[in-house]
Amino acid sequence: MAPHYDIAVVGYGPTGLAAASLLGRLGHRVVVCERWPALYGLPRLTHIDDETARTIQAAGDVDEALRDSSMCQYLWVNGKGETLVNIPANPSGPMGYPDHISMYQPDVESAIDQRLRGYGTVDLRQGWAVTGVDQDDDGVALRLRGWNADACTADGPHADVRARYVIAADGSRSGVRELLGVERQDFGFNEQWVNVDAEWLRPQPPEFAYGTQYCDPARGHMTINIGHTRQRFEFALLPGENREEMTTPEAVWRLLREYHDLGPDDVRITRQLVYGFEARIADRWRTGRVFLAGDAAHTMPPYLGQGACSGLRDATNLAWKLHLVLGGQAPDALLDTYESERRPHVMALTHAAIGLGKVANTHDVEAAAARDAAFFAGKVPPPPPFPPLAHGVLRPGTDAPAGTLTPQGRIGLPDGRTGRFDDLTGYGFALVTAEDPTAALGPERLALLERLGCAVVALDTVDDLDGRHREYLHLLGAVAYLARPDFVLFGTAVDSTDIGALVDALDTALTAPVKVMA
């Protein structure tokens, strides 16, 4: 009989790692099915934001994960090197991390992998490919075969596992998505770029200690630091250039010398390949008990640096909802809010990234000159802020900015411990109040919050070391706010008599979720 799990996670990249770790941390039996026998070990993504860093904090040792990271400023320049846009780095974003971070992906993956191996609840099946998916009313059966890494084919022994739900985070070429017959909408953005990863053989020059997008009509190209010791270089393929030609060592060294005056004495090349930039979104993200997440559900051009960040948002959104459903605290219908919440957010970022890609890759010289003149004249509006969640598990009918993100500062507890808010309060819901809410809530609501694993934090009993949480309450004009486990603001209470209604609204939203079509 096939082993039975609460959750099967297919794919062990950043999205799958985060989902498996968050669910394993919550005590669920998780099986991970990954065709490759070990972690990839090379960087693909190079940028995360402070929200993603907070997710990594929940899933692994964030200090180990970001040990070779740095703040990352971004410059967009034209073909003459003149600055079009300067996006500075904020050293302390709302989540307690810099808002733009360049990082080394293998460090992040190793830190999460090490954490989840210690839970005792996660079964790793590395070296196994999913070849079949069968569902019934109670769960999903996955058919597995051993993966032949040399031949890149599933021709090994057979095995089966069964889980109540499945998260398919198996990349843009998702085999699970194909087995489910889910099509993708293609937004028509398709570019081929040469990716070159390198390690510095000398101290990183100052001009490479940030990200630069060269909007050169002759050839778009960019560079970004990966922490302090590594560098990513990217070059757009021009008409007539092919993948095989442009990934030869001779071609790569020619590009590095021509555009950056770098040679073998400066850097050691660790990887070179042609990568396709695309924008596609799956037609549906849920098929019965199977959910698509990360690149399996959506891909976008890299110009916002939000591809992997979006995948980790998928993981956090799914993890806490699956936790409540598996624990009997919410109905299965709550899981329908995953796509209705996440799809509009991803769609907005995808269109923004496509727009930036068109700015970066204007190949017509006259059009590029007009673009530059518009930037210099201040006629180009700044990119819009990231969209909030517009509907879903949010308190309705108030003026509070529900659906936006809540901050994280450092706090001190009465027992003398100090640290990041999430580390001291736990991963889950958080009700943050100006004063002790016990009387306002009463025993039944307090019991509900305890069942939901909601931390109740009264700021008059802890040290708000950065002042960030009191400042946030003041900004909200509230005496309390309730944050979801994915750091999204559920709602606020305007006075002590409203705190009970806030908790009641959460109970209603979880037990009778309203499905809104994405």
Side-chain angles (χ1 to χ4, degrees), residues 139-172:
V140 186
L142 297 180
R143 297 192 298 275
L144 311 179
R145 286 203 71 176
W147 180 254
N148 185 330
D150 294 328
C152 291
T153 185
D155 59 6
H158 294 268
D160 296 291
V161 297
R162 183 173 176 82
R164 292 178 63 184
Y165 293 97
V166 173
I167 299 174
D170 52 339
S172 61

Side-chain angles (χ1 to χ4, degrees), residues 286-297:
R286 179 180 189 179
T287 301
R289 291 175 171 268
V290 182
F291 300 86
L292 302 179
D295 284 356

Side-chain angles (χ1 to χ4, degrees), residues 164-344:
R164 292 178 63 184
Y165 293 97
V166 173
I167 299 174
D170 52 339
S172 61
R173 299 179 181 179
S174 170
V176 174
R177 188 185 64 234
E178 291 186 5
L179 288 168
L180 296 173
V182 177
E183 301 293 334
R184 291 188 292 171
Q185 181 181 3
D186 189 339
F187 293 93
F189 189 98
N190 294 282
E191 296 179 349
Q192 300 289 311
W193 284 62
V194 180
N195 252 310
V196 181
D197 287 320
E199 295 179 346
W200 288 103
L201 299 177
R202 57 187 175 90
Q204 184 184 60
E207 64 269 24
F208 290 100
Y210 47 85
T212 304
Q213 181 74 51
Y214 295 88
C215 307
D216 187 346
R219 184 195 297 272
H221 58 106
M222 68 87 65
T223 180
I224 184 173
N225 59 314
I226 305 176
H228 300 283
T229 61
R230 302 176 179 90
Q231 202 78 23
R232 164 75 53 83
F233 303 92
E234 295 181 351
F235 305 91
L237 289 188
L238 301 179
E241 294 179 339
N242 62 61
R243 179 187 302 264
E244 292 74 19
E245 170 197 354
M246 296 306 294
T247 51
T248 62
E250 296 78 13
V252 170
W253 285 119
R254 175 176 57 81
L255 290 170
L256 289 176
R257 179 65 71 186
E258 177 181 353
Y259 289 97
H260 299 293
D261 196 25
L262 296 173
D265 293 335
D266 302 299
V267 295
R268 180 176 71 87
I269 295 174
T270 57
R271 188 182 70 150
Q272 57 198 50
L273 77 164
V274 170
Y275 187 80
F277 297 163
E278 62 175 32
R280 299 181 182 182
I281 296 181
D283 291 344
R284 64 180 188 273
W285 297 12
R286 179 180 189 179
T287 301
R289 291 175 171 268
V290 182
F291 300 86
L292 302 179
D295 284 356
H298 47 78
T299 56
M300 66 181 72
Y303 300 102
L304 273 177
Q306 285 296 310
C309 298
S310 294
L312 267 71
R313 292 188 191 101
D314 295 344
T316 56
N317 190 295
L318 266 176
W320 70 264
K321 293 173 181 177
L322 282 165
H323 171 61
L324 293 182
V325 172
L326 288 165
Q329 299 292 322
D332 177 89
L334 176 66
L335 301 174
D336 290 330
T337 65
Y338 161 61
E339 181 175 353
S340 65
E341 288 185 352
R342 293 290 304 126
R343 177 186 283 274

